Amino acid sequence: MHTVILVLFEVLIVIGLSRLVGLGFKSIKQPLVIGEIVAGIMLGPSLLGLIAPSAAATLFPPEAVPFLNVLSQVGLIFFMFLIGLELNPKYLSGQLETAVLTSHVSILVPFSLGTLLAVLLYPLVSNASVSFTAFALFLGAAMSITAFPVLARIITENNLQGTRLGTLALTCAAVDDVTAWCVLAVAIAVAREGSILSAWPTIVESILYIGFMLSVGRWFLQRLATYHQRTGRLSQLVVALIYMGVVASALITELIGIHLIFGAFLLGAAMPKNADLVRELAEKTEDFVLVFLLPVFFAYSGLRTQIGLLNRPELWLLCALVLAVAIAGKYIGTYVAARVSGINKREASALGWLMNTRGLTELIVLNIGLELGVVSPLLFTMLVIMALVTTFMTSPLLEWTYPKKLIRLDVVEPELAEETDTPARIAEEYRILVPVANPSTQKGLLQLAVAIALNYRQSAVVNPLSLIEFDEDYAFESTPVEANRLIAQRRQQLEELINTLEPSTARAYVHPIIRTSSNVARETAQIAQIEQPNLILVGWHRPAFSNNRLGGRVGQILTTAPVDVAVFIDRGGERLESLLVPYSANIHDDLALILALRLLVNRDTCMLRILQVRSENQLKDELSHELQIMMEQLPNSVRDRIEIQMIEAPDPIQAVVAASESVDLTIAGTSRAWGIERQTLGRYTDELAIQCRSSLLITRRYSQVTSHLASVLPDVSSPESVARS
């Protein structure tokens, strides 16, 4: 009983630390899995055992480690089943000839370099009980692995799944995955039997079992898929049968003499790729496996990773050599094959970095090698470092080689592909980017964007931006095929929303942008930098742990977006006939008034009241020179609809609240005078946002060289008219 309690306590710590470190790595744009692997290493002799050896010995005594091993093996079985389940034949539909050549060369080159490296490493880091053939095969396999699951998530997160590069990378990785597992199966058979000749019966039995699973096994699984289509759901009985099949298949491959993970992977690959069946089965399986069992595997691996074994400079040099061979072999093999196939230099380079992703797949291979005694603890540690570094470097090197502004040009959005986005066109258009979290509730936000943007004097575009956020790296919803389904679904919802906008002629100017993302605020800022809108118009939301309407993602966009931002708090009124702008002479209030004037120019029936509130003995706040020039340039038909009112009041905020009762929309700058100001850590207060009686638009100006009004007025020579570069 004492051991059970100890194991449960270990699992508690492992899950908590894995989540914590994983989220930390996600914040620096790294896959969650990298953080979880690092968390496992932190719990082992590399950190905890180094700084607190007695605590490490108490927490992870030798008698408890086998229990962690059992849990980790169960986790691996079902994780490999999920990988096989996600290996969709659709990934093999594009550029197959190029992908087959590229993927096989990207295996052959690092495999060959790995076997050459084995000549050097075998006498230094191996022992006499391991044959050189087994050692060389394992090292070659470790060098040639690409982690398909991590690569697929990186492609989804970077919205590459609709590009030529993304399609080619997925096809290469899928072919690579199947080939590499076959190579690894041979390596395991040789390691267990002692020589290639002795391993032939195992190899033949494996081929026969693969044939059986892809014929008879698939026929039986197809019956389950037909049953699911008829009933519309997976019953517990069907799930039990599938899970029994996973375990049985794993046992068969273990008995054949390769490894139990192959059987689980094979059953997943043989499953019919009926979208609804795969989605429901993955959702039922993945949470427990990814949240509970996989972190235990990372901890178990971490307990066997001893960075302290690299205790001499020459060992670190060997580690650097292993890393260099792994990176160079994969990159050069991929790059050369891609160039021979006609891929341009930039895409070939990006593909080389993507194929260098090793992640969790590499860790699985290394643990098998260590378990069989083919890989020594010292080499295991070197290869774990290699797996971490090669996965860690993928995202930044991909961004450097193939930045998001180029991804945009690779036909991600059908709407954008139809436009000719020349610099001149972008400069003359007035563009508003509208983040839309929920299309069913944000018609008012989009309608306001149309009202601000569209008039007969200037070309304008409104881009509703819908970001589908993925919190987990390995969740089925973040696979490219499922992400494409969610994007298509969201596009349909946005089209339905656009079709409700008035006037109907405005709908032709509204072009949605849909992306997947792991960080909505950061992605919004990046898209703003690429699309160069004049304004970001965002709706408020109440964060989960705060009542502040300007907190959470809205606050992050207000703080980080490199363009002017306006936050709309919709009180539900559809009219837009009377506007109120409280003015206290700062650049944010200037933006509020400029947007109000643009609405006045766009809408002939709109009225504007400029409210200047001052306390006793306070000087009058004059309009800025920029705005005075603007007002002088307005046609009489617009100036006649502007009222400037100055009042004295001890509490400016309450004066604005009272005035807001008789208007449709209040537009206020982020100003201390209105209780909307930026405080520590980029946070904004929202006193006026809470009390305002009308709908409220809060403005934050980023730059004085952004044009909102000048282009629709004649002969304006103010700073507002300076075109953006």
Side-chain angles (χ1 to χ4, degrees):
M1 189 63 183
H2 172 266
T3 305
V4 172
I5 292 172
L6 181 60
V7 170
L8 291 176
F9 187 67
E10 291 170 350
V11 169
L12 188 67
I13 292 173
V14 165
I15 294 174
L17 186 65
S18 293
R19 285 282 123 179
L20 188 64
V21 179
L23 290 174
F25 272 76
K26 277 187 73 69
S27 69
I28 58 171
K29 300 177 70 172
Q30 286 296 323
L32 184 77
V33 66
I34 296 295
E36 293 182 329
I37 294 171
V38 170
I41 293 172
M42 289 167 62
L43 290 171
S46 300
L47 183 63
L48 183 62
L50 186 66
I51 63 176
S54 58
T58 303
L59 185 58
F60 295 102
E63 64 269 18
V65 173
F67 291 90
L68 292 179
N69 184 27
V70 170
L71 286 174
S72 69
Q73 292 300 317
V74 173
L76 276 189
I77 289 171
F78 283 94
F79 179 71
M80 291 302 297
F81 168 67
L82 287 172
I83 292 179
L85 193 65
E86 293 173 9
L87 196 61
N88 198 308
K90 288 183 179 179
Y91 296 142
L92 300 175
S93 60
Q95 307 173 76
L96 187 57
E97 290 182 8
T98 300
V100 169
L101 172 65
T102 304
S103 60
H104 283 117
V105 173
S106 76
I107 288 177
L108 184 62
V109 173
F111 187 89
S112 301
L113 291 177
T115 52
L116 287 175
L117 184 62
V119 176
L120 172 65
L121 293 180
Y122 182 68
L124 299 175
V125 297
S126 187
N127 56 67
S129 63
V130 179
S131 70
F132 174 77
T133 303
F135 182 83
L137 282 172
F138 247 96
L139 191 58
M143 294 292 171
S144 57
I145 284 287
T146 292
F148 177 79
V150 178
L151 180 140
R153 272 55 177 198
I154 290 174
I155 285 173
T156 304
E157 185 173 319
N158 286 278
N159 290 281
L160 284 165
Q161 67 272 17
T163 67
R164 182 175 66 171
L165 172 63
T167 305
L168 180 58
L170 282 171
T171 309
C172 286
V175 175
D176 194 309
D177 219 33
V178 173
T179 307
W181 287 121
C182 292
V183 171
L184 183 63
V186 173
I188 292 171
V190 171
R192 283 182 166 170
E193 301 299 331
S195 68
I196 292 180
L197 192 61
S198 304
W200 267 111
T202 301
I203 295 171
V204 171
E205 289 171 10
S206 301
I207 293 171
L208 290 174
Y209 182 63
I210 291 170
F212 173 81
M213 283 299 297
L214 295 180
S215 54
V216 178
R218 178 169 285 176
W219 176 86
F220 178 75
L221 292 170
Q222 186 61 55
R223 305 281 78 73
L224 291 179
T226 304
Y227 174 78
H228 176 266
Q229 280 185 309
R230 190 168 64 248
T231 60
R233 70 181 191 90
L234 272 179
S235 66
Q236 290 185 351
L237 175 61
V238 174
V239 173
L241 289 172
I242 293 172
Y243 286 174
M244 287 171 65
V246 172
V247 176
S249 184
L251 285 172
I252 290 170
T253 52
E254 181 69 25
L255 292 172
I256 286 174
I258 41 177
H259 197 276
L260 47 82
I261 64 168
F262 291 98
F265 172 79
L266 188 57
L267 186 78
M271 283 289 295
K273 297 306 183 259
N274 174 284
D276 293 333
L277 170 65
V278 171
R279 185 181 310 112
E280 189 174 352
L281 185 55
E283 288 172 352
K284 284 178 179 292
T285 307
E286 66 186 8
D287 284 347
F288 184 68
V289 173
L290 301 180
V291 175
F292 188 89
L293 294 176
L294 266 191
V296 175
F297 169 69
F298 296 137
Y300 181 69
S301 299
L303 291 175
R304 305 203 289 179
T305 304
Q306 305 175 57
I307 296 177
L309 292 175
L310 300 174
N311 54 10
R312 300 194 307 275
E314 56 266 31
L315 292 179
W316 280 107
L317 283 174
L318 277 180
C319 184
L321 180 62
V322 168
L323 180 61
V325 168
I327 295 172
K330 204 70 173 168
Y331 179 82
I332 292 171
T334 303
Y335 181 84
V336 171
R339 292 289 292 136
V340 168
S341 300
I343 307 299
N344 66 49
K345 291 181 180 179
R346 187 182 293 275
E347 288 189 3
S349 183
L351 185 62
W353 297 129
L354 282 168
M355 295 298 284
N356 249 303
T357 304
R358 288 177 172 86
L360 175 55
T361 308
E362 180 77 8
L363 206 60
I364 294 171
V365 173
L366 299 182
N367 273 275
I368 293 172
L370 186 62
E371 178 187 313
L372 294 175
V374 179
V375 175
S376 67
L378 176 59
L379 183 58
F380 177 82
T381 300
M382 291 178 180
L383 292 171
V384 167
I385 292 172
M386 180 270 287
L388 284 171
V389 171
T390 52
T391 308
F392 191 92
M393 72 184 194
T394 299
S395 291
L397 286 174
L398 176 64
E399 175 64 25
W400 173 66
T401 308
Y402 201 69
K404 290 187 185 303
K405 64 183 177 182
L406 292 180
I407 294 174
R408 174 181 180 271
L409 300 177
D410 203 5
V411 194
V412 176
E413 292 294 328
E415 290 83 358
L416 296 178
E418 296 169 5
E419 301 178 10
T420 55
D421 286 343
T422 63
R425 177 185 176 93
I426 291 174
E428 70 184 20
E429 279 183 342
Y430 185 82
R431 302 171 71 91
I432 298 183
L433 190 67
V434 189
V436 177
N438 187 346
S440 64
T441 62
Q442 293 187 289
K443 178 183 176 182
L445 178 69
L446 204 53
Q447 193 71 62
L448 177 61
V450 167
I452 295 173
L454 301 185
N455 57 61
Y456 65 87
R457 300 172 183 86
Q458 180 188 20
S459 176
V461 174
V462 175
N463 293 129
L465 171 65
S466 189
L467 295 177
I468 301 170
E469 187 171 24
F470 297 137
D471 294 324
E472 310 296 340
D473 282 338
Y474 282 117
F476 177 72
E477 67 174 8
S478 63
T479 58
V481 167
E482 183 67 4
N484 283 336
R485 185 189 71 82
L486 293 173
I487 287 171
Q489 186 182 69
R490 184 65 58 86
R491 186 180 300 282
Q492 182 178 354
Q493 292 171 342
L494 284 173
E495 292 294 346
E496 291 171 358
L497 171 60
I498 292 167
N499 287 333
T500 66
L501 297 176
E502 296 295 340
S504 58
T505 52
R507 299 167 191 171
Y509 300 93
V510 183
H511 302 294
I513 299 173
I514 305 167
R515 299 281 194 274
T516 57
S517 172
S518 61
N519 186 307
V520 167
R522 183 171 63 205
E523 188 78 15
T524 301
Q526 289 177 344
I527 290 173
Q529 205 159 17
I530 295 168
E531 298 295 333
Q532 294 187 315
N534 299 75
L535 179 71
I536 294 179
L537 180 62
V538 61
W540 76 277
H541 76 287
R542 182 176 287 114
F545 301 105
S546 168
N547 290 322
N548 192 337
R549 288 159 176 77
L550 302 181
R553 292 173 186 163
V554 172
Q556 292 174 43
I557 292 172
L558 272 171
T559 303
T560 62
V563 296
D564 293 346
V565 178
V567 179
F568 182 48
I569 299 174
D570 190 358
R571 303 295 186 200
E574 295 185 4
R575 285 168 49 87
L576 198 60
E577 304 300 326
S578 55
L579 309 177
L580 172 69
V581 176
Y583 188 81
S584 64
N586 65 68
I587 62 169
H588 306 302
D589 282 354
D590 285 355
L591 176 60
L593 188 48
I594 288 167
L595 291 179
L597 292 175
R598 185 175 176 99
L599 279 168
L600 238 64
V601 171
N602 294 353
R603 301 173 68 88
D604 294 337
T605 58
C606 205
M607 308 290 293
L608 168 63
R609 177 158 43 128
I610 302 172
L611 183 65
Q612 295 179 289
V613 185
R614 67 186 183 95
S615 57
E616 193 175 353
N617 300 322
Q618 180 186 348
L619 294 175
K620 177 183 176 183
D621 289 326
E622 297 289 347
L623 296 180
S624 68
H625 177 68
E626 171 190 5
L627 283 171
Q628 288 177 3
I629 295 177
M630 283 278 179
M631 301 283 273
E632 290 171 5
Q633 296 294 326
L634 290 171
N636 289 334
S637 60
V638 175
R639 277 189 290 182
D640 290 345
R641 290 181 277 126
I642 300 174
E643 174 193 357
I644 301 178
Q645 180 182 9
M646 186 177 67
I647 63 172
E648 287 188 9
D651 188 341
I653 296 173
Q654 291 308 313
V656 175
V657 170
S660 70
E661 291 185 1
S662 58
V663 300
D664 299 322
L665 177 66
T666 301
I667 309 177
T670 54
S671 164
R672 180 172 299 179
W674 320 127
I676 308 165
E677 59 179 315
R678 182 171 172 177
Q679 295 185 325
T680 56
L681 301 176
R683 295 179 180 176
Y684 286 83
T685 60
D686 64 347
E687 188 174 346
L688 181 61
I690 295 170
Q691 299 184 40
C692 189
R693 299 289 182 263
S694 69
S695 293
L696 176 65
L697 189 65
I698 297 169
T699 59
R700 186 229 63 184
R701 194 163 194 178
Y702 177 76
S703 170
Q704 287 188 297
V705 299
T706 304
S707 174
H708 294 282
L709 191 59
S711 52
V712 297
L713 296 177
D715 303 321
V716 179
S717 56
S718 70
E720 224 277 329
S721 67
V722 180
R724 293 173 299 129
S725 58

